[in-house]
């Protein structure tokens, strides 16, 4: 079994801490919560932006592995997108409102998102699925992959954007949102053969 590095171990611990307390803790508070000295923390992470970026990258890396597993077990691009969407919705809901709020607020900090880009993550996911669907003959050959990807990721971005007046207005319906988004998206990209196949997954 491969040995887990100190940095990897601290990353996992900080991720669990952020789920409980959010991202607003300073480095001294984080070190205290982990039972570390600030020096030890800084020996592994040069700054708080780097720490947050590393934690988010850790989350998306784990999520990507689960997504790949769900995709491999799918018979076609349509089924893959339904399965992948369910995985994403479930894992994001586990993050909780506090961490999601702070991630949304930190969107304006380029230093943090230089380490991990949420929209690029979703963009790659949708683009690969669209290409697979076209190759399988279930998506329209004439569809614009760039625009279709933009429509999908824009909806994701809007859904998880913090609103100071309403908070996450629809967060309680995360699972339903992803299910409806996939259904709407697929109806816009499938061809006649794909439409018949889509009926199986309703």
């Amino acid at each position: 079994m491969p040995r887990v590095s100190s940095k990897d171990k601290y990353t996992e611990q900080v991720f669990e801490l952020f789920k409980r307390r959010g991202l607003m803790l300073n480095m001294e508070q984080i070190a205290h919560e982990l039972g570390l000295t600030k020096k030890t923390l800084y020996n592994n992470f040069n700054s708080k932006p780097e720490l947050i970026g590393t934690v988010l990258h850790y989350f998306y890396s784990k999520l990507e592995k689960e997504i790949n597993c769900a995709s491999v077990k799918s018979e076609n691009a349509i089924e893959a997108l339904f399965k992948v969407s369910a995985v994403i919705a479930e894992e994001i809901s586990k993050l909780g409102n506090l961490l999601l709020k702070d991630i949304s607020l930190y969107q304006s900090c380029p230093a943090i998102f230089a380490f991990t880009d949420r929209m690029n993550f979703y963009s790659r996911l949708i683009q690969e699925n669209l290409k697979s669907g076209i190759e399988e003959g279930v998506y329209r050959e004439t569809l614009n992959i760039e625009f279709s990807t933009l429509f999908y990721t824009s909806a994701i971005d809007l859904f998880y954007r913090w609103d100071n007046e309403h908070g996450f207005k629809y967060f309680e319906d995360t699972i339903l949102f992803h299910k409806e988004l996939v259904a709407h998206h697929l109806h816009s990209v499938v061809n006649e053969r794909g439409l018949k196949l889509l009926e199986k997954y309703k």
Side-chain angles (χ1 to χ4, degrees):
M1 185 175 179
R3 183 179 176 185
V4 178
S5 70
S6 295
K7 184 171 183 176
D8 289 341
K9 181 178 69 174
Y10 297 147
T11 299
E12 293 177 16
Q13 292 174 349
V14 174
F15 178 52
E16 294 303 319
L17 175 62
F18 282 164
K19 285 198 286 188
R20 298 195 310 272
R21 301 283 302 277
L23 300 178
M24 299 307 173
L25 299 171
N26 60 39
M27 292 292 273
E28 184 173 357
Q29 291 170 321
I30 293 170
H32 175 74
E33 289 285 345
L34 268 57
L36 304 173
T37 63
K38 278 178 65 177
K39 181 179 179 181
T40 299
L41 193 60
Y42 275 108
N43 281 342
N44 289 274
F45 308 97
N46 293 324
S47 64
K48 184 179 174 183
E50 180 183 331
L51 173 58
I52 294 175
T54 302
V55 168
L56 293 180
H57 180 73
Y58 164 77
F59 167 71
Y60 285 116
S61 294
K62 283 184 61 180
L63 181 58
E64 196 159 10
K65 288 179 181 177
E66 293 187 38
I67 285 171
N68 289 336
C69 183
S71 296
V72 167
K73 294 179 180 178
S74 301
E75 294 182 0
N76 52 69
I78 293 173
E79 182 180 27
L81 195 56
F82 274 116
K83 285 186 176 181
V84 164
S85 176
V87 168
I88 292 174
E90 183 177 350
E91 291 305 310
I92 287 181
S93 65
K94 291 178 183 176
L95 295 180
N97 273 13
L98 181 58
L99 180 52
L100 279 172
K101 171 188 174 183
D102 288 350
I103 290 174
S104 181
L105 293 174
Y106 266 103
Q107 289 275 20
S108 59
C109 182
I112 289 172
F113 283 88
F115 294 93
T116 178
D117 191 324
R118 182 160 59 107
M119 285 301 100
N120 277 346
F121 171 81
Y122 281 115
S123 293
R124 290 195 307 271
L125 176 67
I126 299 305
Q127 285 174 359
E128 289 171 6
N129 182 267
L130 288 170
K131 291 175 183 176
S132 295
I134 292 172
E135 290 173 2
E136 293 169 8
V138 295
Y139 293 171
R140 290 183 289 108
E141 292 184 359
T142 57
L143 69 83
N144 187 305
I145 291 178
E146 183 180 354
F147 287 168
S148 296
T149 300
L150 180 62
F151 294 154
Y152 196 99
T153 54
S154 296
I156 291 282
D157 184 48
L158 183 61
F159 186 81
Y160 288 109
R161 185 171 293 175
W162 178 259
D163 183 320
N164 285 327
E165 182 178 354
H166 301 105
F168 288 111
K169 187 175 180 182
Y170 308 108
F171 181 73
E172 291 77 9
D173 297 317
T174 295
I175 305 294
L176 179 60
F177 166 76
H178 280 270
K179 184 177 179 181
E180 289 294 329
L181 176 60
V182 169
H184 177 80
H185 168 77
L186 287 173
H187 274 93
S188 70
V189 301
V190 295
N191 55 23
E192 289 187 15
R193 180 182 168 215
L195 187 59
K196 291 177 181 177
L197 193 58
L198 186 56
E199 296 297 318
K200 289 174 52 179
Y201 301 102
K202 283 190 174 182

